[in-house]
Amino acid sequence: MTEFARGAVLCAFLSVLAPSAVSDAFELRHDRGVPRVFRNGEVMPSRIFFGSFMHGGFPRSWESVPRQFSYALDAGVPFFETHGDLFWEGCDEAKVAAFNRKRADAFFAVATNRPCWMIVRLLCNPPTWWMDAHPETYSGWNDKSKLTGWVAKHPMQTLASSVYQDAALKAIRRTIAFYEREYPGRMAGYHLAGLHTSEWVYDGFYTRET
């Protein structure tokens, strides 16, 4: 991978990070023409292990992904990214907390005494029960015609909804507070992800032609 490509990958991840509230300050800066990660003003290895694919859709991923991260640590990769669910108002907080701990702890368990920091990919799509309680937040065509095809089978929230915006902001704040409390000194930041494939809006994707 070229230096330019590595920089593009880093920007894709780190440009959406919200800063951690702990004393460590992580920044993405251009250094001699290359984007690099700095911790408290000191440059770090700008490599991230993307560990979000750890779920039932991938056989034995709960064992294989953390093991792969251990190999990455040996190669000098200091960051890992994993999924985290938001604490939406009205959710089963104990269930969400257990889910988020399980994912994070799987990585920290293999790190042992090796230094590493976590980036959490927070999924900002509301759960179905929340969407059903707020049907006005479902996305649709401007002319109110019925959705068809792929988007009809995978309904999502409309980002223009102030109801969704307010609820998501509160949920994000509660979730960040959870991680800062549970993993002090281990947080590098937060990656806000959403909509289809958790990658927000692709140009031309939400059109009748697609």
Side-chain angles (χ1 to χ4, degrees):
M1 183 182 290
T2 67
E3 204 64 33
F4 175 81
R6 278 196 290 269
V9 171
L10 280 170
C11 285
F13 281 111
L14 293 175
S15 64
V16 292
L17 289 183
S20 173
V22 298
S23 58
D24 284 330
F26 289 94
E27 301 173 273
L28 180 65
R29 303 182 196 166
H30 277 277
D31 179 53
R32 287 167 290 179
V34 178
R36 302 184 195 278
V37 178
F38 287 77
R39 172 175 170 256
N40 299 330
E42 299 292 330
V43 69
M44 296 189 66
S46 301
R47 301 180 181 92
I48 301 170
F49 178 83
F50 186 73
S52 291
F53 296 107
M54 189 165 62
H55 52 70
F58 296 89
R60 302 187 68 180
S61 60
W62 286 96
E63 296 82 22
S64 61
V65 172
R67 184 171 63 249
Q68 291 165 11
F69 175 57
S70 181
Y71 301 151
L73 278 171
D74 289 340
V77 178
F79 301 105
F80 70 88
E81 179 171 299
T82 187
H83 276 154
D85 276 357
L86 294 184
F87 287 87
W88 293 91
E89 186 171 359
C91 72
D92 185 336
E93 294 192 11
K95 184 177 181 180
V96 174
F99 174 86
N100 290 347
R101 287 193 195 100
K102 180 180 180 182
R103 286 180 176 275
D105 292 348
F107 289 95
F108 286 127
V110 301
T112 56
N113 294 323
R114 292 172 291 183
C116 64
W117 292 268
M118 175 166 60
I119 298 166
V120 182
R121 192 176 194 229
L122 297 179
L123 303 182
C124 298
N125 296 337
T128 302
W129 59 263
W130 189 93
M131 294 286 290
D132 289 342
H134 303 85
E136 73 278 12
T137 64
Y138 276 105
S139 59
W141 302 126
N142 289 337
D143 61 6
K144 310 298 183 183
S145 59
K146 185 178 180 181
L147 293 175
T148 59
W150 197 87
V151 292
K153 296 177 182 178
H154 304 83
M156 289 286 171
Q157 73 279 9
T158 172
L159 302 183
S161 168
S162 60
V163 174
Y164 163 74
Q165 293 172 11
D166 292 344
L169 179 59
K170 292 175 182 177
I172 290 168
R173 285 173 170 165
R174 281 193 290 266
T175 308
I176 289 177
F178 164 81
Y179 279 104
E180 297 292 341
R181 183 175 61 251
E182 294 284 319
Y183 302 98
R186 307 304 296 272
M187 301 303 305
Y190 304 88
H191 174 176
L192 306 182
L195 292 183
H196 295 103
T197 70
S198 302
E199 294 167 332
W200 298 114
V201 180
Y202 287 112
D203 185 33
F205 184 80
Y206 291 90
T207 62
R208 295 181 189 276
E209 287 72 26
T210 56

